[in-house]
């Protein structure tokens, strides 16, 4: 178990070491990408884990539930409006709006689930939210001057590479806040796994815990989405990979593994992008090629559950 | 002692039962009976603070539920529910550990006292052989036992079980009754459970709480209940 964890660390760091030594000259270009991929992958994967526990639904993930989309809508509104906004709000505004969007969708979902929504309906609802927001965004795009549209389209491709050294500190700061908040959760998540009622009977304030999950998860998704664009699949597959490797459910073990697997997935995608740089592939297409089969495999294995 | 007066219970803004009076004392073994839909689960969940009461007074050791913290309540009472547990790869021992949550630190680490009480419960319920299995792979009887173990390591003075005998075969039912009797009479725990198995419990429990078709709660010893004719009117027995 520990070796699995360690080897994952090694894989992650192996990637880092490899790219560093290979491209020493351009480390200023590569280094931010590696940092960004490491944190973004980890945060998204952790957000996926939180969502799966929250909804007791192994197919929950920030992309499938439309939380990425909510974030995107926030960012879209911000980028479209950026022509009218003062310079001073530029850096913080994007993550802030992403956070609002993510929280909006999550709160909506949490409220509806309270009304006894089945597992499948939840996912369909997530897809509906995602398609609603993307339609809304394309309407916005058509109504906006071209410079902002170009910025937005670049962002909406989703990439760990769009960051400059100036943006990096804010991203790292938000990532650390996210990680610190994550560290406070394992005990309560463990209690929550066996069901809301049992958690309550063990003295947990379920209402405030759920609220803090919504807040933390939205922060994680928003941080990534604001800086990297909507990134798919990591949030849903990393928890599955972690669980099937560890064969444990204790969040104290699962959470770090999920984080590192998320990081490894993001770094791996980066690595492929570097090797295939002459084709300028998109991050999300690579993740889709890895992610979709993994989910399909899971569905096949667990078909009796759904 | 858990005490209630003029208690109304219900959910989703609907009142199911009202004007309930009663008390549960340590050392008592109590069975809650009533036809399906009478409101047994609802009453049980209100008594365990899982559902809020609609109105009336409800107190534990003279302190009302509202003025005690959830954690204080959790250290005095524990539940075994009918809800299914869906966690994959959850080990029996880890599930039992969770029962100590009200006592452990923010990380959920076990102290020596925690480990000791877990060890005692495991040997009391003879769970040594399955403690490293996955919960999802157990039989219904074993699951029930493990959930009971989780509740017991919570060190409750009041133990509540919602229809614990429903999915069990006859030997497991009898064994569970023995265990519950042992807990209430030897360990001075109050044990309160809902059930439909009148034949099984009649000779074991101290009191039967019967919710009749009109939503009235009758609290009687099994002998009094039999002579009262209530069983005939409610269960055609």
């Amino acid at each position: 178990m520990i070796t699995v964890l360690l080897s994952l660390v090694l894989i992650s760091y192996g990637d880092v070491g490899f790219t560093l030594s290979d491209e020493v000259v351009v480390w200023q270009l590569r280094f931010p990408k590696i940092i960004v991929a490491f944190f973004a992958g980890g945060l998204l994967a952790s957000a996926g884990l939180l969502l799966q526990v929250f909804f007791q639904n192994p197919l929950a993930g920030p992309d499938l539930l439309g939380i990425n989309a909510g974030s995107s809508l926030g960012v879209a509104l911000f980028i479209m409006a950026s022509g009218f906004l003062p310079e001073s709000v530029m850096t913080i505004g994007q993550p802030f709006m992403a956070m609002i969007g993510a929280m909006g969708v999550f709160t909506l979902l949490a409220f509806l689930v309270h009304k006894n929504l089945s597992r499948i309906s939840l996912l369909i609802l997530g897809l509906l939210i995602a398609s609603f927001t993307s339609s809304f965004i394309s309407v916005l795009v058509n109504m906006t001057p071209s410079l902002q549209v170009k910025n937005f389209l670049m962002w909406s491709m989703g990439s760990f590479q769009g960051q400059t050294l100036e943006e990096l500190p804010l991203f790292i700061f938000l990532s650390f806040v996210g990680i610190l908040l994550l560290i406070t959760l394992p005990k309560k998540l463990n209690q929550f796994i066996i069901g809301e009622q049992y958690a309550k009977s063990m003295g947990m304030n379920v209402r405030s815990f759920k609220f803090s999950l919504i807040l933390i998860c939205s922060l994680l998704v928003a941080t990534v989405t604001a800086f990297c664009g909507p990134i798919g699949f990591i949030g849903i597959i990393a928890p599955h990979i972690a669980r099937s490797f560890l064969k444990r459910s204790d969040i104290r073990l699962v959470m770090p593994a999920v984080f590192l697997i998320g990081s490894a997935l993001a770094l791996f995608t980066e690595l492929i992008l570097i090797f295939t740089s002459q084709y300028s592939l998109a991050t999300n297409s690579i993740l889709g090629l890895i992610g979709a089969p993994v989910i399909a495999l899971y569905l096949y294995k667990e078909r009796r559950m759904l | 002692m858990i005490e209630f007066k003029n208690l109304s219970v219900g959910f989703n803004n609907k009142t199911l039962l009202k004007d309930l009076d009663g008390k549960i004392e340590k050392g008592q073994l109590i069975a809650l009976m009533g036809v399906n839909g009478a409101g047994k689960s609802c009453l049980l969940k209100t008594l365990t603070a899982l559902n809020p009461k609609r109105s009336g007074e409800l107190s534990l050791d003279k302190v009302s539920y509202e003025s005690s913290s959830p954690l204080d309540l959790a250290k005095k009472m524990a539940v075994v529910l009918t809800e299914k547990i869906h966690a994959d790869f959850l080990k029996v021992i880890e599930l039992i550990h969770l029962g100590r949550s009200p006592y452990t630190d923010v990380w959920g680490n076990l102290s020596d006292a925690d480990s000791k009480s877990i060890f005692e419960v495991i040997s009391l319920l003879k769970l040594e052989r399955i403690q490293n299995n996955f919960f999802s792979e157990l039989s219904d009887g074993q699951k029930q036992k493990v959930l009971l173990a989780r509740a017991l390591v919570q060190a409750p003075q009041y133990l509540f079980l919602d229809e614990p005998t429903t999915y069990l075969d006859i030997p497991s039912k009898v064994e569970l009754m023995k265990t519950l009797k042992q807990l209430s009479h030897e360990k001075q725990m109050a044990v309160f459970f809902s059930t439909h198995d009148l034949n099984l419990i009649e000779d074991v429990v101290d009191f039967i709480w019967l919710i009749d078709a009109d939503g009235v709660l009758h609290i009687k010893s099994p002998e009094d209940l039999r002579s009262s004719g209530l069983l005939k009117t409610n269960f055609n027995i």
Side-chain angles (χ1 to χ4, degrees), chain A residues 194-202, chain B residues 79-81 85 147 150:
Chain A
I194 62 169
E196 219 174 303
Q197 302 256 326
Y198 278 117
K200 211 170 172 182
S201 82
M202 293 186 282
Chain B
V79 289
V80 176
L81 300 167
I85 290 179
L147 289 173
R150 189 215 59 84

Side-chain angles (χ1 to χ4, degrees), chain A residues 183 187 193 198 200-201 248, chain B residues 50 81 87 94 101 107 154:
Chain A
I183 291 173
K187 178 182 172 184
I193 284 181
Y198 278 117
K200 211 170 172 182
S201 82
R248 293 289 290 277
Chain B
L50 291 177
L81 300 167
E94 288 172 340
S101 305
W107 302 103
Q154 213 173 317

Side-chain angles (χ1 to χ4, degrees), chain B residues 12 23 25 38 53 58 66 70-71 78 83 87 99 112 123 130 136 143 148 150 173 178-180 185 191 193 216 228:
Chain B
N12 290 344
K23 60 184 178 198
E25 283 176 77
K53 67 179 187 203
L58 176 58
E66 303 94 87
L71 207 57
E83 272 84 353
D112 289 346
S123 53
I130 57 165
S136 53
K143 280 184 178 168
L148 177 61
R150 189 215 59 84
K173 283 183 186 189
K178 264 192 202 152
T179 312
L180 295 184
H185 294 172
V191 179
F193 64 100
V216 179
S228 69

Side-chain angles (χ1 to χ4, degrees), chain A residues 54 61 100 124 138 142 185 197 200 212 219 223 235 240 256 291 301:
Chain A
F54 186 99
I100 300 285
I124 294 174
S138 57
N142 286 336
L185 292 176
Q197 302 256 326
K200 211 170 172 182
S212 65
L219 173 75
T223 303
H240 289 304
K301 270 168 65 186

